[in-house]
Amino acid sequence: MWRHLRRTLDVGGGVILAAAVLVPSATGLAGLPALGATLNPGGGVWRPAADAGPARAETVSLPGLSAPATVAFEDNGLAHVTAGADADLFRTIGYVHARFRLAQMDLTRRQAQGELAEIVGPDALESDRFERDLGLQRAARRDWAALPAGPARETLTAYSRGVNDAIRELVRDHRLPTLFTVLGYEPREWTPVDSLAVQRLVGQKISFDEQAVRFSFAQKALGQKVFDQWFPVVPGNRQQPFDKGPFKKLPLEPLPVRAYPADGVPADGTPGALGTPPTTVPAAAVHSLGNSNSWVVSGSRTASGAPILSADPHLPYSLPSIWYQLEGSSPGYHFSGVTTPGIPVPLLGKTGTFSWGLTASQRPTTLFYEERTDPARPGQYFYQGKWQPLTSVPEPIKVRGGATEQHQVRLTAHGPIMRVQARDYAVWWAGTLPSDNMSSMLALLRAKDLGGFRASLRGWTTPALNFSYADRSGNIAMFNVGVAPQVASGNPALPLAGDGSGDVTGSIAHDALPSSVNPPEGYIVSANQREASGDYPYQYSTSYNFVERGWRDGEIVEQLSHQDKLTLAQSAALQSDWHDNHARQLVPLLLGALKGVELDPFEQRVADLLTAWDYTASPDKPQPVFFDSYKNRLSWATFQPWWTHYKVPQDPDKGLLPRNADSGAWANETLRGTVLGWIQNDPDNAFFSLPDGTRRDATDVMRAAFHETVANALKKYGPDFRNWTYGKYESVLFPNLAGMSALDLGPYPGWGGNPRTPNVSVGTRDAADGRPLSNLATAGATWRFGVDWGTGQIQAVTAGGQSENPMSPWYGNGIPLWMKGRYWPVLEGAAVLGARTVQWKVTS
């Protein structure tokens, strides 16, 4: 289904909305030239780019540096930064980021702050209006003003100095990245506010979602009782929460006070006083992809006798990569991991004593309020028993080639007014609460043990994440952190009343959030499943609000639980694994349902194929082609008569309900788990029968879906199973920053996997060749990482490269290894001295 839902997905955590550059590049809109030929690698303006060839030894001057520093580059582009003072370390990282990713950094901060239209014209206005309404820049300014003297302030200041050192050097030497030349502007100086805004954009891409509104169309048509049966709090199929209880019930913690900007003024109440109509939320601005896997295994279950950690964040692929990998060393810090250009600290990685990974938590942190308004009272809304004035914040948006738009942000007590699915809501989003995540991450990097690591996470506000942990001393752990809003009444996973009755009353206490430390089974898995079991005593995630159904974590648990002495190589193989746990659970039930049924010869051949299947969605197999269709048709056969019976409307974005029997949809993502749970535990469920009273059970529905799927596949692909092989219809593509196909890498045919396999493969674009089921995978594991604390082995690989320049040997050099499931060794300290490197000497 994914390839139909989000063709305009941009990369979360650091790369610009591709369409904002693609449109003017391709058409010459907004006064820009058509750029297709200009941007071709090997010619045009790419030829003279400064970093087009291999890195060379340099001496870099950063005036005011406390002591000399070095930057060593391996042949693959991985960087090692060593400095004599902590501030010098982060300043040098800022310089390195800007030397290799300045265009990416500048476009990212412009997206975060709603300033794209200034350089690309009116096609970026939708994105700019949304970001101005959401308020990442306002929040970043507020947080910087409130940040006390200390490590976080010093780090952000030093990082900004390093970025600006690089900007001044590149401008002076006429070596700015090509994109600045093409768009005809120079980047302004970098500030700490820019880093804080980029940091919040990272959070937006993995936590701002509109599923509550989308599923409200189904809830209102079905009624609450039926809705809860179809879309239960806990998915209906077998689950693997990492915290199984018993749970603490603690008083709620107060949330940070979100004072709206001082420059906001009450609306004057006159018609038209609020300017433009409510902003429509752009599809590419919301969390519709961006999850992850991470697991930790204790020494009792590993060959080395010490913990192993594996982590792979799932986001859209991009060139340059979302990540910039480096090692950093100074008197107060030593770490190896991946940074997002624009942010000075690593988000995943290791120190000298522990390693950590991240996965997105799926509990709601975006709440939608239905405000009561009255045309006779423009500029007002009804709240806490009386009519209140909206707050209006002027946000002028500069537009290239046009007049400045006098945009007005409209705020209620709950947040900005936005248009979501053709309806107006006030949006409460945890991502703009006061936050000092930088101090939390710096404390994490300085932690010496499990206690220090856990203490550092108390300061983490948003987004909601799961931190996996494994250390040299033998500990493994998983901690869910971040604001977990609780409301006075209503369901936070559906729209709430705006009259005050559904207001946020606080957050789940940090010590009551799901966690696991050294569990008896010897492993902990997080793959975006619901983190706690159904008796968790707080409002939490729901099966339809971005909780994964348990396919990936189920498969990972399945394999780890049967592995006696795990090696890092085996853990790495699991990161590249294409087993589909949905198929592992469902296909045996289907084959059981077919026993005793008279099948025609071709149906029998299909059944025999399924009997022999190992449940891998690998390119050489025909079975995953059949199963991808069967899972959809099973949900269609079960629920479509009831959709019609209850007159459930399609949402305006046309993503809630499937278009036909062979398509996916957001509802189907949950209902696949629901119908499997019924087959496993309630085969006579009333909803297997038809609304007209015709009796059916799970066996009847499975058989009907089988016959229909075989007939449809035979029609599409013919009787020769060689035409069914999955790799004929699956390719993987790595899109580039500028949105120009000449700068992409791929598509590479013969790919495998799907959204349910540990090695995630998600299609956000259809292939252009018109083949049935043709799909371009453009999202999945963007970095794979593994640490064995017993052998000391560390390895990682990026689905991309370190440089944003298409002429650089480091543009996409990680892709061949990544596609083969191979890794670069992660070198640290003295090991770097033994490798062939190019060095920059950094002096004052």
Side-chain angles (χ1 to χ4, degrees):
M1 83 165 202
W2 295 90
R3 61 184 182 268
H4 300 300
L5 292 178
R6 288 290 180 262
R7 293 169 181 254
T8 54
L9 277 173
D10 64 340
V11 289
V15 179
I16 182 59
L17 176 69
V21 178
L22 170 62
V23 173
S25 297
T27 66
L29 295 175
L32 296 180
L35 304 180
T38 309
L39 293 178
N40 284 335
V45 295
W46 288 115
R47 189 178 299 280
D51 59 346
R56 299 183 296 271
E58 295 184 23
T59 297
V60 175
S61 177
L62 302 184
L65 208 65
S66 300
T70 62
V71 184
F73 298 97
E74 299 178 50
D75 286 348
N76 54 19
L78 300 186
H80 304 264
V81 181
T82 305
D86 296 344
D88 292 349
L89 170 63
F90 294 111
R91 183 176 177 186
T92 307
I93 289 174
Y95 177 85
V96 171
H97 276 176
R99 281 289 300 267
F100 290 95
R101 301 290 188 88
L102 184 58
Q104 176 187 13
M105 292 169 65
D106 191 67
L107 292 171
T108 301
R109 69 171 166 180
R110 284 183 172 274
Q111 181 183 1
Q113 297 174 3
E115 297 175 341
L116 285 174
E118 183 177 1
I119 59 166
V120 302
D123 290 284
L125 272 173
E126 181 183 59
S127 174
D128 284 357
R129 291 177 189 130
F130 171 77
E131 299 299 350
R132 299 295 183 99
D133 282 357
L134 196 58
L136 304 191
Q137 185 180 51
R138 296 192 301 273
R141 287 173 175 167
R142 176 203 61 212
D143 288 352
W144 176 244
L147 191 64
R153 197 170 189 89
E154 293 164 4
T155 296
L156 289 165
T157 299
Y159 180 82
S160 296
R161 288 186 67 187
V163 175
N164 292 328
D165 289 329
I167 290 174
R168 284 189 289 270
E169 178 184 306
L170 293 171
V171 170
R172 180 196 66 205
D173 297 340
H174 306 289
R175 294 191 301 158
L176 279 173
T178 300
L179 203 59
F180 293 105
T181 304
V182 171
L183 294 176
Y185 80 101
E186 291 184 358
R188 65 175 185 269
E189 286 203 340
W190 193 270
T191 71
V193 169
D194 295 328
S195 289
L196 294 175
V198 170
Q199 176 182 299
R200 288 182 180 276
L201 184 64
V202 173
Q204 176 188 316
K205 298 307 172 66
I206 61 175
S207 70
F208 185 96
D209 77 79
E210 57 181 26
Q211 296 293 71
V213 175
R214 187 186 307 278
F215 278 85
S216 70
F217 290 90
Q219 184 263 343
K220 290 176 181 176
L222 295 173
Q224 195 64 50
K225 182 179 179 180
V226 172
F227 182 81
D228 288 343
Q229 291 177 278
W230 289 17
F231 304 101
V233 170
V234 180
N237 57 300
R238 186 165 61 247
Q239 298 296 298
Q240 301 284 352
F242 67 70
D243 188 348
K244 302 172 179 63
F247 302 107
K248 299 177 182 177
K249 177 66 172 178
L250 301 176
L252 298 183
E253 292 181 347
L255 290 172
V257 176
R258 173 170 39 198
Y260 285 119
D263 56 354
V265 297
D268 64 15
T270 60
L274 296 179
T276 56
T279 299
T280 298
V281 176
V286 302
H287 171 211
S288 51
L289 179 108
N291 298 307
S292 300
N293 296 331
S294 187
W295 58 87
V296 284
V297 182
S298 73
S300 65
R301 302 186 70 100
T302 67
S304 71
I308 288 176
L309 176 143
S310 290
D312 49 284
H314 303 162
L315 295 164
Y317 306 136
S318 64
L319 295 169
S321 170
I322 297 165
W323 307 110
Y324 188 89
Q325 184 173 329
L326 57 80
E327 177 192 15
S329 299
S330 68
Y333 298 95
H334 177 251
F335 52 77
S336 294
V338 282
T339 55
T340 291
I343 303 174
V345 296
L347 300 183
L348 304 92
K350 70 173 291 293
T351 69
T353 55
F354 63 84
S355 50
W356 82 98
L358 298 176
T359 64
S361 178
Q362 310 292 16
R363 49 184 166 78
T365 56
T366 311
L367 311 181
F368 295 88
Y369 286 88
E370 298 176 307
E371 306 287 16
R372 177 183 166 190
T373 59
D374 186 338
R377 297 175 176 271
Q380 295 183 338
Y381 70 107
F382 193 78
Y383 177 64
Q384 292 186 338
K386 62 181 180 180
W387 290 97
Q388 311 266 15
L390 290 168
T391 299
S392 178
V393 180
E395 287 275 3
I397 303 174
K398 295 179 181 179
V399 183
R400 179 168 182 159
T404 296
E405 178 175 290
Q406 301 303 320
H407 184 67
Q408 296 286 330
V409 178
R410 286 168 286 189
L411 300 164
T412 73
H414 303 114
I417 300 288
M418 294 184 182
R419 183 153 292 164
V420 184
Q421 297 279 1
R423 299 181 182 182
D424 293 347
Y425 295 91
V427 181
W428 187 102
W429 179 53
T432 52
L433 288 170
S435 172
D436 184 11
N437 285 354
M438 186 59 62
S439 290
S440 182
M441 287 304 296
L442 291 170
L444 181 152
L445 294 173
R446 295 192 302 271
K448 301 302 182 186
D449 54 25
L450 175 59
F453 180 89
R454 187 169 196 177
S456 74
L457 300 178
R458 287 187 176 276
W460 187 271
T461 304
T462 182
L465 296 173
N466 298 295
F467 280 75
S468 57
Y469 173 94
D471 69 22
R472 184 183 297 280
S473 299
N475 297 298
I476 63 171
M478 190 82 69
F479 302 111
N480 182 271
V481 302
V483 165
Q486 304 289 283
V487 298
S489 68
N491 182 349
L494 289 169
L496 297 161
D499 60 6
S501 62
D503 282 8
V504 174
T505 56
S507 176
I508 300 173
H510 177 81
D511 290 333
L513 287 169
S515 65
S516 179
V517 178
N518 296 323
E521 56 266 31
Y523 57 81
I524 313 172
V525 175
S526 176
N528 313 115
Q529 79 273 31
R530 194 177 197 270
E531 295 92 343
S533 56
D535 55 343
Y536 188 65
Y538 296 93
Q539 297 164 339
Y540 204 68
S541 55
T542 66
S543 66
Y544 61 91
N545 200 307
F546 260 108
V547 175
E548 294 296 333
R549 310 284 100 67
W551 316 127
R552 284 185 286 120
D553 58 284
E555 185 60 34
I556 296 165
V557 167
E558 170 81 16
Q559 296 199 32
L560 291 180
S561 65
H562 288 88
Q563 186 63 252
D564 183 32
K565 295 297 180 182
L566 185 77
T567 66
L568 185 59
Q570 290 168 329
S571 193
L574 183 50
Q575 289 183 312
S576 295
D577 188 274
W578 279 331
H579 278 91
D580 185 338
N581 197 261
H582 187 190
R584 188 189 291 278
Q585 294 185 58
L586 180 56
V587 168
L589 297 171
L590 167 61
L591 293 173
L594 294 178
K595 287 182 178 179
V597 175
E598 185 175 345
L599 303 177
D600 68 36
F602 191 77
E603 288 179 328
Q604 187 60 56
R605 291 176 62 196
V606 173
D608 292 342
L609 270 180
L610 293 176
T611 301
W613 189 24
D614 64 357
Y615 312 118
T616 58
S618 51
D620 60 328
K621 296 183 183 296
Q623 293 97 330
V625 170
F626 174 86
F627 186 75
D628 262 9
S629 177
Y630 181 75
K631 65 177 172 46
N632 288 334
R633 288 178 175 269
L634 179 62
S635 292
W636 180 272
T638 304
F639 293 103
Q640 183 57 34
W642 293 100
W643 290 127
T644 302
H645 173 74
Y646 285 108
K647 300 179 181 178
V648 178
Q650 180 67 284
D651 64 315
D653 282 356
K654 297 180 171 56
L656 175 65
L657 304 181
R659 298 185 308 279
N660 54 55
D662 213 21
S663 69
W666 284 112
N668 271 7
E669 285 299 294
T670 293
L671 294 177
R672 289 180 194 125
T674 299
V675 74
L676 178 58
W678 289 347
I679 293 170
Q680 291 171 331
N681 305 308
D682 187 15
D684 293 314
N685 187 284
F687 287 111
F688 284 129
S689 295
L690 296 175
D692 65 6
T694 301
R695 293 290 302 163
R696 301 188 307 177
D697 61 14
T699 298
D700 296 326
V701 176
M702 283 192 288
R703 289 172 176 173
F706 175 79
H707 295 310
E708 292 169 6
T709 305
V710 171
N712 182 66
L714 184 61
K715 180 180 179 181
K716 275 189 176 182
Y717 312 116
D720 188 342
F721 286 133
R722 289 174 296 182
N723 291 327
W724 290 39
T725 54
Y726 199 53
K728 281 181 173 284
Y729 311 107
E730 295 290 317
S731 303
V732 60
L733 175 71
F734 300 88
N736 72 93
L737 175 71
M740 302 303 299
S741 59
L743 306 184
D744 294 345
L745 292 179
Y748 301 105
W751 194 236
N754 59 49
R756 303 174 302 280
T757 56
N759 184 6
V760 165
S761 181
V762 178
T764 56
R765 302 187 196 174
D766 289 324
D769 56 17
R771 293 176 297 170
L773 254 185
S774 292
N775 181 47
L776 288 176
T778 54
T782 50
W783 188 59
R784 297 194 185 114
F785 176 58
V787 180
D788 185 334
W789 282 101
T791 64
Q793 188 178 2
I794 317 164
Q795 59 188 27
V797 68
T798 306
Q802 296 281 82
S803 174
E804 67 185 4
N805 188 336
M807 293 295 290
S808 168
W810 298 340
Y811 180 60
N813 56 316
I815 293 173
L817 285 176
W818 177 92
M819 290 185 65
K820 295 175 182 177
R822 295 168 58 191
Y823 296 77
W824 286 312
V826 175
L827 304 180
E828 295 184 308
V832 180
L833 301 177
R836 187 173 66 179
T837 61
V838 170
Q839 293 205 359
W840 289 355
K841 297 180 180 178
V842 186
T843 63
S844 176

